[in-house]
Amino acid sequence: MPPLDLGVLISGRGSNLQAILDAIAAGHLDARVRLVLSNRPDVEGLARAERAGVPTRVIAHRDFADRDSFDAAAVDALREAGATWVVLAGFMRLLTTTFLDAFPHRVVNIHPSLLPSFPGVDAQQQALDHGVRVTGCTVHLVDAGTDTGPILAQAAVPVLDGDDRDALAARILVQEHALLIRALSWIAEGRLQIAPPDVPGGRARATLAGVETALGLAQSGRARGDVGDVGEVGEAGEGA
């Protein structure tokens, strides 16, 4: 199969973007980042892309009257760059159907919780507030809901005594980097299969052929082995 042609959307520091760039450079991910697009200027993620020689573009959402207009401009930029898959790597904007219809079942997001628990903003603090003992991260396809799209993979992370929001977020982030690369690698290998909704208006379902579904626990922020051993849910249904 040809490499994945990725457009990566960011709004900040771009640490998940860096994980993608590093994995490609190391030969662990068969992909090309065609464009890094930010809705905010002067963020660290843009500098990361520039150091890697990846084209960048800033499209400020405040310059547009509504979300659809912004999304249409983003779609044009990504298509012009040759991106056929989109990764949301800390992109702090909800996407409209204008964007999602342009890349059907080809927009991937990484979220810092075990969805469907704790969707939306500040999932780490939500986990602490609810007193859960295990949280984690989820790679999923994006649909029109808030973190409701089909789940591709998950990694579990324990909530430790004495954790605050920053400590928990840092430990989850280690697993985000590994899990995102693993999920993108499965997609690049042609494993992703999309089944249509069972009923009109329902959600599509995603499976990753040949991927085990055991959910492993990453102890103290370290996976049980290398990237391929991160706790993973491969054959998963809808994320809500």
Side-chain angles (χ1 to χ4, degrees):
M1 293 186 64
L4 295 181
D5 287 318
L6 302 177
V8 182
L9 272 56
I10 63 171
S11 294
R13 61 183 177 176
S15 68
N16 276 309
L17 165 65
Q18 189 66 60
I20 292 171
L21 296 173
D22 290 346
I24 292 172
H28 297 154
L29 174 60
D30 190 14
R32 300 170 290 205
V33 178
R34 294 294 196 177
L35 181 69
V36 172
L37 189 155
S38 176
N39 64 312
R40 296 175 178 170
D42 303 321
V43 295
E44 184 179 351
L46 292 171
R48 293 178 188 269
E50 290 165 1
R51 287 194 294 268
V54 173
T56 63
R57 180 86 176 267
V58 175
I59 301 179
H61 62 274
R62 297 184 185 278
D63 293 342
F64 295 85
D66 52 46
R67 290 183 182 274
D68 284 293
S69 299
F70 170 82
D71 282 6
V75 167
D76 287 345
L78 290 163
R79 284 176 167 169
E80 181 180 342
T84 57
W85 284 84
V86 178
V87 180
L88 308 185
F91 184 65
M92 305 305 291
R93 298 277 298 171
L94 294 176
L95 297 174
T96 68
T97 54
T98 296
F99 192 102
L100 297 175
D101 289 348
F103 299 96
H105 306 306
R106 287 180 171 241
V107 182
V108 178
N109 186 46
I110 178 79
H111 182 77
S113 79
L114 295 176
L115 293 172
S117 296
F118 314 132
V121 298
D122 211 353
Q124 303 93 333
Q125 189 62 52
Q126 290 186 62
L128 292 171
D129 291 344
H130 280 77
V132 300
R133 304 310 299 166
V134 177
T135 184
C137 54
T138 301
V139 176
H140 67 97
L141 299 180
V142 179
D143 65 8
T146 300
D147 299 319
T148 58
I151 292 171
L152 301 184
Q154 295 181 305
V157 174
V159 180
L160 304 180
D161 292 341
D163 267 346
D164 60 14
R165 190 257 180 216
D166 290 343
L168 180 58
R171 200 159 58 256
I172 293 172
L173 189 61
V174 174
Q175 302 309 315
E176 287 185 44
H177 295 166
L179 191 69
L180 179 59
I181 299 310
R182 196 66 181 135
L184 290 174
S185 295
W186 289 327
I187 294 172
E189 292 166 3
R191 294 174 182 262
L192 178 61
Q193 301 173 354
I194 303 294
D198 295 330
V199 296
R203 292 194 178 96
R205 298 177 64 87
T207 58
L208 287 160
V211 176
E212 294 182 359
T213 60
L215 183 66
L217 191 65
Q219 296 291 345
S220 301
R222 295 181 63 84
R224 301 177 305 167
D226 61 16
V227 170
D229 294 327
V230 173
E232 54 208 29
V233 173
E235 292 186 331
E238 54 196 83

